[in-house]
Amino acid sequence: MNENQDAEAVDEVTKAKEPKVIKFDELDPNFKYEIQAEPSGEFITRCYACGTCTASCPVRSIEETFNPRRIIHMALLGMKEQVLASEFVWLCSTCYACHERCPQDVRITEMMNALKNLAVKNGYIHPAFTAQIDLIQGHGRLYEADAFVNKKRAKIELPELTESPDPIKTIFKATGLYLYSSEAKEAGSASTDADAGATTKPEGSKDE
Amino acid sequence: MSKKKFALYLGCTVPVRAQNYELSARLIAKHFGIELVDIPSFTCCGFPIKSVDQRSSLVMAARNLALAEKQGLDMVTLCTACTGTQVEANHQLKHDVKKLAQVNEILKKEDLEYKGTVNVRHFARVLYEDIGIERIKQEVKVDLQSLPVAAHPGCHFFKPSEAFENFDDPENPHVYDDLINATGARSNPYSERELCCGGAILGIRVDVAYAMAGKKLASIKDSGSEAMILICPFCNVMYEQNQKKIEKELEQKFAMPCIYYTQLLGLALGYTPDELGFKINRVKPTKILERIGAVSEKPAG
Ligand code: SF4
Ligand code: SF4
């Protein structure tokens, strides 16, 4: 890690995002507490910016805009919008290389999930995931177990595959994730039994 | 030898997109007297949902654990991504009574409860721990002639290490190599051994995911390995199912066969390529099969 990295980091930020210079009065000092309130976000303040995560990161070695240390630094500074609205927040490949090496046990891989979960709550869900919610809610699994699949399975004497979507819908309704499904959006209703401590709510959804 | 019995957690990808893996894994289990029980009402482990809402993902994993527990069975997984999700969820639920209570509050709606008694292991880990390297070696019938192959178990085979009780060393893993070497093939080192497949970001940035997978394939090619040995259908989507596209994108030729460990072991145990589902492999390992004398059909009689 070289000493210029913070300078580089700010450089990348200014390149990627308006406004050109970070305005300190626009930072959100509560952002780090929001992150800490999410599951797996609690250890973000342990980071002492050593850069081991960035040096270990296979995504970073290909895509410069993804830099775990910088993301943590931006989050701690309170650059809420710049983090949550970014593309880079979605780019962690969950390899745990950084997790195993972080000297401060920040638990970065899981912390990245906390950031993504917050991005979702703030209306920035990545479309790739909307499609996955629909599939899993509709079929109980990521790929349909349709007649074609089962014909192929039968041919090589593998047992028939069934779908159990109902339990998943029950779970999604309880956690509030149901509201992000196309089914819920089409129904235009915001009725869930979100009593299990879930706080997820899509942007623009009506309150219960 | 006591009979081993487990709930088989197939996950979403294996039964639809990796039937050669499922077929060969069931055969290997049978060979070693491991009974695998199918639980049809298992649902997605929650891996894709983690990014959106970790709470939902945890309940999804817990539901599967509760179903296995109900039958008094430990869980065996085939997909490395499912393994990571189920193992981590289990680790959290076993160590955090508050989380467990919150999860059970939701599972109650389906008359389910998770008490925290299930163990989750990847099938390869079960082979290593319950069958053992020595027994595998004893059963080998076909000489794989020290075939140089690249080991890629997938990141979530042993990481995060604390959730996996450190059964392997995260910086210097050897369990998977030992399993490969036991078949008579040879786990051949390569420079990008640590590199993740990139599958998790395929839907976000296809170019970055391809670059990651391509970097690994190139390193394996350079090392002189003749095949890649996998135990994760998610990794396979990157290395085998997308190999042609990656070759085109990066203007490099890999032609790297991707073989599931259970297929490799099956060959060593004397099963035929057909029995092991090799017809489904996209990058055909024809040369390898010829060299070791594996034929498609067992001679009649
Ligand atoms: S390795 Fe840990 S302490 Fe070092 S910069 Fe990354 S998160 Fe911070
Ligand atoms: S887990 Fe994510 S942030 Fe950490 S090294 Fe892997 S890709 Fe990078």
Side-chain angles (χ1 to χ4, degrees):
Chain A
M1 291 292 86
N2 65 52
E3 293 140 33
N4 292 327
Q5 221 174 23
D6 275 327
E8 275 171 29
V10 174
D11 223 42
E12 284 168 26
V13 175
T14 51
K15 257 187 277 169
K17 206 73 205 164
E18 302 289 335
K20 298 246 182 298
V21 175
I22 303 167
K23 293 197 181 120
F24 284 90
D25 57 346
E26 284 173 9
L27 299 175
D28 181 347
N30 290 320
F31 185 39
K32 57 175 172 287
Y33 304 122
E34 268 182 73
I35 296 165
Q36 287 185 302
E38 284 296 309
S40 349
E42 53 264 53
F43 304 125
I44 188 168
T45 51
R46 285 180 180 173
C47 174
Y48 60 28
C50 68
T52 305
C53 49
T54 298
S56 309
C57 180
V59 176
R60 158 71 180 185
S61 74
I62 285 160
E63 174 53 65
E64 290 272 305
T65 61
F66 184 78
N67 177 336
R69 180 179 76 155
R70 178 168 57 100
I71 294 169
I72 293 167
H73 199 63
M74 288 170 76
L76 291 174
L77 274 175
M79 297 169 71
K80 183 175 173 176
E81 284 307 303
Q82 287 93 328
V83 171
L84 297 186
S86 70
E87 185 202 46
F88 62 65
V89 79
W90 300 99
L91 279 180
C92 168
S93 74
T94 74
C95 75
Y96 287 95
C98 57
H99 173 100
E100 296 294 339
R101 293 176 190 161
C102 171
Q104 283 295 95
D105 198 21
V106 170
R107 311 182 70 87
I108 308 148
T109 316
E110 299 301 327
M111 195 278 298
M112 288 289 177
N113 283 326
L115 291 181
K116 283 179 263 184
N117 290 183
L118 272 177
V120 170
K121 284 186 193 174
N122 282 273
Y124 298 115
I125 187 168
H126 193 285
F129 290 104
T130 316
Q132 295 190 342
I133 292 171
D134 284 348
L135 274 168
I136 295 171
Q137 184 176 292
H139 303 280
R141 42 175 68 250
L142 203 48
Y143 303 105
E144 269 181 69
D146 56 16
F148 176 73
V149 166
N150 273 315
K151 212 173 132 194
K152 261 173 64 187
R153 291 179 60 81
K155 233 170 109 185
I156 49 173
E157 287 167 49
L158 291 175
E160 193 189 346
L161 212 56
T162 53
E163 295 185 350
S164 306
D166 295 348
I168 296 294
K169 201 191 266 189
T170 305
I171 293 172
F172 285 4
K173 281 192 171 174
T175 60
L177 194 63
Y178 175 73
L179 295 174
Y180 294 86
S181 66
S182 302
E183 184 184 294
K185 283 178 199 152
E186 276 156 28
S189 101
S191 66
T192 57
D193 46 349
D195 55 335
T199 44
T200 46
K201 195 194 320 146
E203 185 100 314
S205 75
K206 289 179 207 89
D207 258 340
E208 294 88 330
Chain B
M1 164 124 223
S2 74
K3 199 163 166 82
K4 306 273 174 196
K5 192 173 168 183
F6 299 95
L8 174 64
Y9 183 76
L10 286 171
C12 302
T13 315
V14 168
V16 177
R17 300 184 72 170
Q19 288 157 356
N20 46 352
Y21 184 24
E22 182 182 341
L23 193 69
S24 53
R26 287 182 189 272
L27 197 63
I28 296 295
K30 202 167 143 209
H31 183 98
F32 288 107
I34 301 170
E35 189 181 342
L36 300 175
V37 179
D38 285 285
I39 300 184
S41 53
F42 273 152
T43 37
C44 170
C45 68
F47 176 76
I49 296 300
K50 254 188 177 183
S51 298
V52 185
D53 183 34
Q54 294 172 90
R55 291 180 181 91
S56 303
S57 166
L58 186 65
V59 187
M60 289 167 77
R63 178 178 182 273
N64 297 321
L65 294 168
L67 288 170
E69 188 176 64
K70 212 170 155 184
Q71 304 217 10
L73 296 172
D74 282 334
M75 182 189 272
V76 157
T77 49
L78 292 179
C79 168
T80 304
C82 298
T83 308
T85 310
Q86 291 289 167
V87 164
E88 261 182 90
N90 204 22
H91 185 74
Q92 281 187 43
L93 296 171
K94 284 186 179 185
H95 292 89
D96 189 335
V97 283
K98 220 178 104 195
K99 261 188 190 158
L100 183 63
Q102 285 169 350
V103 160
N104 277 328
E105 202 49 49
I106 297 176
L107 292 182
K108 211 165 66 186
K109 295 174 196 289
E110 206 196 328
D111 272 331
L112 281 173
E113 188 195 357
Y114 183 49
K115 297 187 185 74
T117 63
V118 172
N119 249 317
V120 183
R121 285 183 299 165
H122 193 291
F123 183 60
R125 183 177 168 191
V126 170
L127 289 175
Y128 184 83
E129 291 179 338
D130 296 6
I131 305 302
I133 296 298
E134 282 318 307
R135 167 94 194 276
I136 293 174
K137 279 184 182 163
Q138 283 164 17
E139 300 273 328
V140 168
K141 288 197 188 72
V142 174
D143 184 7
L144 297 188
Q145 304 165 27
S146 297
L147 179 79
V149 295
H152 178 84
C155 307
H156 302 211
F157 182 55
F158 49 84
K159 292 189 275 191
S161 53
E162 72 279 8
F164 285 92
E165 304 131 339
N166 287 287
F167 84 94
D168 204 354
D169 177 348
E171 296 295 343
N172 273 306
H174 65 88
V175 168
Y176 191 54
D177 306 81
D178 294 352
L179 282 166
I180 288 173
N181 292 334
T183 66
R186 178 171 58 86
S187 173
N188 188 31
Y190 58 104
S191 59
E192 293 293 349
R193 179 185 163 113
E194 299 278 296
L195 184 57
C196 162
C197 70
I201 54 170
L202 184 63
I204 311 289
R205 277 282 299 275
V206 65
D207 59 327
V208 179
Y210 280 2
M212 285 169 77
K215 202 172 172 184
K216 185 154 197 137
L217 285 164
S219 153
I220 291 170
K221 189 99 193 159
D222 284 349
S223 73
S225 283
E226 293 183 47
M228 194 171 182
I229 308 301
L230 302 173
I231 47 169
C232 177
F234 224 66
C235 298
N236 181 279
V237 166
M238 293 308 299
Y239 297 121
E240 189 187 38
Q241 302 185 23
N242 280 310
Q243 196 178 119
K244 280 234 143 56
K245 287 185 200 153
I246 294 169
E247 285 178 332
K248 213 174 139 204
E249 201 65 39
L250 305 185
E251 295 176 0
Q252 286 180 60
K253 190 86 188 136
F254 303 120
M256 183 61 63
C258 294
I259 301 174
Y260 285 107
Y261 176 72
T262 44
Q263 294 185 297
L264 182 78
L265 177 56
L267 289 174
L269 298 176
Y271 292 101
T272 67
D274 276 2
E275 287 172 304
L276 296 164
F278 271 98
K279 274 190 182 147
I280 298 169
N281 292 49
R282 294 190 187 196
V283 185
K284 301 286 176 209
T286 316
K287 264 197 259 166
I288 297 171
L289 295 179
E290 276 171 11
R291 198 178 326 140
I292 63 165
V295 284
S296 285
E297 297 293 341
K298 269 187 178 152

PDB file of all heavy atoms in Angstrom, chain A residues 46-54 69 72 98 101-104 106 108, ligand 1:
ATOM      1  N   ARG A  46     -14.068  -0.285  13.652  1.00  0.00           N
ATOM      2  CA  ARG A  46     -12.778  -0.844  14.061  1.00  0.00           C
ATOM      3  C   ARG A  46     -11.670  -0.577  13.045  1.00  0.00           C
ATOM      4  O   ARG A  46     -10.496  -0.753  13.332  1.00  0.00           O
ATOM      5  CB  ARG A  46     -12.891  -2.361  14.179  1.00  0.00           C
ATOM      6  CG  ARG A  46     -13.611  -2.869  15.392  1.00  0.00           C
ATOM      7  CD  ARG A  46     -13.585  -4.380  15.282  1.00  0.00           C
ATOM      8  NE  ARG A  46     -14.252  -5.037  16.393  1.00  0.00           N
ATOM      9  CZ  ARG A  46     -14.461  -6.360  16.432  1.00  0.00           C
ATOM     10  NH1 ARG A  46     -14.090  -7.110  15.410  1.00  0.00           N
ATOM     11  NH2 ARG A  46     -15.050  -6.900  17.461  1.00  0.00           N
ATOM     12  N   CYS A  47     -12.066  -0.224  11.817  1.00  0.00           N
ATOM     13  CA  CYS A  47     -11.088  -0.109  10.722  1.00  0.00           C
ATOM     14  C   CYS A  47     -10.048   0.952  11.010  1.00  0.00           C
ATOM     15  O   CYS A  47     -10.370   2.069  11.376  1.00  0.00           O
ATOM     16  CB  CYS A  47     -11.821   0.228   9.421  1.00  0.00           C
ATOM     17  SG  CYS A  47     -10.716   0.573   8.054  1.00  0.00           S
ATOM     18  N   TYR A  48      -8.765   0.598  10.869  1.00  0.00           N
ATOM     19  CA  TYR A  48      -7.709   1.606  10.990  1.00  0.00           C
ATOM     20  C   TYR A  48      -7.011   1.861   9.656  1.00  0.00           C
ATOM     21  O   TYR A  48      -5.870   2.295   9.617  1.00  0.00           O
ATOM     22  CB  TYR A  48      -6.763   1.345  12.153  1.00  0.00           C
ATOM     23  CG  TYR A  48      -5.977   0.042  12.174  1.00  0.00           C
ATOM     24  CD1 TYR A  48      -5.622  -0.654  11.011  1.00  0.00           C
ATOM     25  CD2 TYR A  48      -5.552  -0.482  13.396  1.00  0.00           C
ATOM     26  CE1 TYR A  48      -4.892  -1.819  11.070  1.00  0.00           C
ATOM     27  CE2 TYR A  48      -4.807  -1.652  13.469  1.00  0.00           C
ATOM     28  CZ  TYR A  48      -4.486  -2.324  12.303  1.00  0.00           C
ATOM     29  OH  TYR A  48      -3.763  -3.486  12.362  1.00  0.00           O
ATOM     30  N   ALA A  49      -7.709   1.525   8.593  1.00  0.00           N
ATOM     31  CA  ALA A  49      -7.295   1.930   7.248  1.00  0.00           C
ATOM     32  C   ALA A  49      -5.943   1.388   6.794  1.00  0.00           C
ATOM     33  O   ALA A  49      -5.211   2.046   6.079  1.00  0.00           O
ATOM     34  CB  ALA A  49      -7.329   3.459   7.119  1.00  0.00           C
ATOM     35  N   CYS A  50      -5.607   0.153   7.185  1.00  0.00           N
ATOM     36  CA  CYS A  50      -4.300  -0.409   6.809  1.00  0.00           C
ATOM     37  C   CYS A  50      -4.233  -0.780   5.333  1.00  0.00           C
ATOM     38  O   CYS A  50      -3.162  -0.851   4.746  1.00  0.00           O
ATOM     39  CB  CYS A  50      -3.990  -1.633   7.664  1.00  0.00           C
ATOM     40  SG  CYS A  50      -5.066  -3.037   7.326  1.00  0.00           S
ATOM     41  N   GLY A  51      -5.397  -1.060   4.719  1.00  0.00           N
ATOM     42  CA  GLY A  51      -5.406  -1.381   3.294  1.00  0.00           C
ATOM     43  C   GLY A  51      -5.186  -2.849   2.960  1.00  0.00           C
ATOM     44  O   GLY A  51      -5.111  -3.221   1.792  1.00  0.00           O
ATOM     45  N   THR A  52      -5.101  -3.701   3.969  1.00  0.00           N
ATOM     46  CA  THR A  52      -4.913  -5.135   3.711  1.00  0.00           C
ATOM     47  C   THR A  52      -6.056  -5.693   2.862  1.00  0.00           C
ATOM     48  O   THR A  52      -5.836  -6.505   1.961  1.00  0.00           O
ATOM     49  CB  THR A  52      -4.830  -5.917   5.047  1.00  0.00           C
ATOM     50  OG1 THR A  52      -3.801  -5.329   5.833  1.00  0.00           O
ATOM     51  CG2 THR A  52      -4.543  -7.383   4.825  1.00  0.00           C
ATOM     52  N   CYS A  53      -7.267  -5.232   3.144  1.00  0.00           N
ATOM     53  CA  CYS A  53      -8.428  -5.707   2.387  1.00  0.00           C
ATOM     54  C   CYS A  53      -8.280  -5.386   0.905  1.00  0.00           C
ATOM     55  O   CYS A  53      -8.460  -6.253   0.047  1.00  0.00           O
ATOM     56  CB  CYS A  53      -9.722  -5.117   2.943  1.00  0.00           C
ATOM     57  SG  CYS A  53      -9.681  -3.340   3.200  1.00  0.00           S
ATOM     58  N   THR A  54      -7.929  -4.142   0.626  1.00  0.00           N
ATOM     59  CA  THR A  54      -7.791  -3.712  -0.763  1.00  0.00           C
ATOM     60  C   THR A  54      -6.688  -4.500  -1.470  1.00  0.00           C
ATOM     61  O   THR A  54      -6.847  -4.924  -2.607  1.00  0.00           O
ATOM     62  CB  THR A  54      -7.513  -2.201  -0.811  1.00  0.00           C
ATOM     63  OG1 THR A  54      -8.648  -1.535  -0.235  1.00  0.00           O
ATOM     64  CG2 THR A  54      -7.316  -1.705  -2.233  1.00  0.00           C
ATOM     65  N   ARG A  69     -11.194  -0.633   1.249  1.00  0.00           N
ATOM     66  CA  ARG A  69     -10.753   0.327   2.258  1.00  0.00           C
ATOM     67  C   ARG A  69     -11.364   1.694   1.996  1.00  0.00           C
ATOM     68  O   ARG A  69     -11.799   2.390   2.904  1.00  0.00           O
ATOM     69  CB  ARG A  69      -9.221   0.451   2.276  1.00  0.00           C
ATOM     70  CG  ARG A  69      -8.786   1.461   3.333  1.00  0.00           C
ATOM     71  CD  ARG A  69      -7.291   1.623   3.413  1.00  0.00           C
ATOM     72  NE  ARG A  69      -6.785   2.421   2.310  1.00  0.00           N
ATOM     73  CZ  ARG A  69      -5.651   3.109   2.376  1.00  0.00           C
ATOM     74  NH1 ARG A  69      -4.920   3.069   3.455  1.00  0.00           N
ATOM     75  NH2 ARG A  69      -5.237   3.799   1.336  1.00  0.00           N
ATOM     76  N   ILE A  72     -15.020   1.797   3.014  1.00  0.00           N
ATOM     77  CA  ILE A  72     -15.146   1.909   4.474  1.00  0.00           C
ATOM     78  C   ILE A  72     -14.841   3.342   4.914  1.00  0.00           C
ATOM     79  O   ILE A  72     -15.568   3.929   5.719  1.00  0.00           O
ATOM     80  CB  ILE A  72     -14.215   0.889   5.179  1.00  0.00           C
ATOM     81  CG1 ILE A  72     -14.708  -0.527   4.900  1.00  0.00           C
ATOM     82  CG2 ILE A  72     -14.137   1.164   6.681  1.00  0.00           C
ATOM     83  CD1 ILE A  72     -13.733  -1.627   5.271  1.00  0.00           C
ATOM     84  N   CYS A  98     -10.476 -10.812   2.164  1.00  0.00           N
ATOM     85  CA  CYS A  98     -10.241  -9.700   3.088  1.00  0.00           C
ATOM     86  C   CYS A  98     -10.633 -10.082   4.508  1.00  0.00           C
ATOM     87  O   CYS A  98      -9.941  -9.757   5.471  1.00  0.00           O
ATOM     88  CB  CYS A  98     -11.039  -8.484   2.641  1.00  0.00           C
ATOM     89  SG  CYS A  98     -12.809  -8.800   2.497  1.00  0.00           S
ATOM     90  N   ARG A 101      -8.011 -11.811   6.434  1.00  0.00           N
ATOM     91  CA  ARG A 101      -6.748 -11.110   6.666  1.00  0.00           C
ATOM     92  C   ARG A 101      -6.872  -9.819   7.451  1.00  0.00           C
ATOM     93  O   ARG A 101      -5.860  -9.281   7.909  1.00  0.00           O
ATOM     94  CB  ARG A 101      -6.088 -10.804   5.319  1.00  0.00           C
ATOM     95  CG  ARG A 101      -5.645 -12.074   4.639  1.00  0.00           C
ATOM     96  CD  ARG A 101      -5.069 -11.833   3.273  1.00  0.00           C
ATOM     97  NE  ARG A 101      -4.893 -13.141   2.613  1.00  0.00           N
ATOM     98  CZ  ARG A 101      -4.760 -13.308   1.317  1.00  0.00           C
ATOM     99  NH1 ARG A 101      -4.759 -12.251   0.524  1.00  0.00           N
ATOM    100  NH2 ARG A 101      -4.621 -14.507   0.808  1.00  0.00           N
ATOM    101  N   CYS A 102      -8.062  -9.271   7.571  1.00  0.00           N
ATOM    102  CA  CYS A 102      -8.210  -7.980   8.244  1.00  0.00           C
ATOM    103  C   CYS A 102      -7.698  -8.066   9.684  1.00  0.00           C
ATOM    104  O   CYS A 102      -8.200  -8.854  10.478  1.00  0.00           O
ATOM    105  CB  CYS A 102      -9.675  -7.556   8.229  1.00  0.00           C
ATOM    106  SG  CYS A 102      -9.992  -6.112   9.253  1.00  0.00           S
ATOM    107  N   PRO A 103      -6.701  -7.253  10.051  1.00  0.00           N
ATOM    108  CA  PRO A 103      -6.134  -7.340  11.401  1.00  0.00           C
ATOM    109  C   PRO A 103      -7.106  -6.845  12.473  1.00  0.00           C
ATOM    110  O   PRO A 103      -6.916  -7.116  13.658  1.00  0.00           O
ATOM    111  CB  PRO A 103      -4.902  -6.444  11.321  1.00  0.00           C
ATOM    112  CG  PRO A 103      -5.187  -5.488  10.218  1.00  0.00           C
ATOM    113  CD  PRO A 103      -6.029  -6.236   9.229  1.00  0.00           C
ATOM    114  N   GLN A 104      -8.129  -6.111  12.060  1.00  0.00           N
ATOM    115  CA  GLN A 104      -9.071  -5.537  13.013  1.00  0.00           C
ATOM    116  C   GLN A 104     -10.408  -6.282  13.056  1.00  0.00           C
ATOM    117  O   GLN A 104     -11.358  -5.820  13.685  1.00  0.00           O
ATOM    118  CB  GLN A 104      -9.310  -4.055  12.656  1.00  0.00           C
ATOM    119  CG  GLN A 104      -8.184  -3.137  13.069  1.00  0.00           C
ATOM    120  CD  GLN A 104      -8.062  -3.093  14.578  1.00  0.00           C
ATOM    121  OE1 GLN A 104      -7.272  -3.830  15.180  1.00  0.00           O
ATOM    122  NE2 GLN A 104      -8.860  -2.236  15.217  1.00  0.00           N
ATOM    123  N   VAL A 106     -12.849  -6.507  11.021  1.00  0.00           N
ATOM    124  CA  VAL A 106     -13.975  -5.652  10.620  1.00  0.00           C
ATOM    125  C   VAL A 106     -15.102  -6.510  10.011  1.00  0.00           C
ATOM    126  O   VAL A 106     -16.244  -6.097   9.964  1.00  0.00           O
ATOM    127  CB  VAL A 106     -13.478  -4.561   9.632  1.00  0.00           C
ATOM    128  CG1 VAL A 106     -14.635  -3.802   9.003  1.00  0.00           C
ATOM    129  CG2 VAL A 106     -12.542  -3.591  10.355  1.00  0.00           C
ATOM    130  N   ILE A 108     -15.412  -7.607   6.817  1.00  0.00           N
ATOM    131  CA  ILE A 108     -15.748  -6.761   5.670  1.00  0.00           C
ATOM    132  C   ILE A 108     -16.783  -7.387   4.737  1.00  0.00           C
ATOM    133  O   ILE A 108     -17.716  -6.720   4.296  1.00  0.00           O
ATOM    134  CB  ILE A 108     -14.467  -6.446   4.861  1.00  0.00           C
ATOM    135  CG1 ILE A 108     -13.405  -5.889   5.799  1.00  0.00           C
ATOM    136  CG2 ILE A 108     -14.755  -5.474   3.728  1.00  0.00           C
ATOM    137  CD1 ILE A 108     -11.998  -6.235   5.404  1.00  0.00           C
TER     138      ILE A 108
HETATM  139  S1  SF4 C   1      -8.027  -4.738   6.368  1.00  0.00           S
HETATM  140 FE1  SF4 C   1      -9.468  -4.200   8.026  1.00  0.00          FE
HETATM  141  S2  SF4 C   1      -8.472  -2.568   9.187  1.00  0.00           S
HETATM  142 FE2  SF4 C   1      -7.356  -2.781   7.250  1.00  0.00          FE
HETATM  143  S3  SF4 C   1      -8.326  -1.229   5.904  1.00  0.00           S
HETATM  144 FE3  SF4 C   1      -9.373  -3.154   5.532  1.00  0.00          FE
HETATM  145  S4  SF4 C   1     -11.131  -3.109   6.957  1.00  0.00           S
HETATM  146 FE4  SF4 C   1      -9.707  -1.537   7.645  1.00  0.00          FE
END
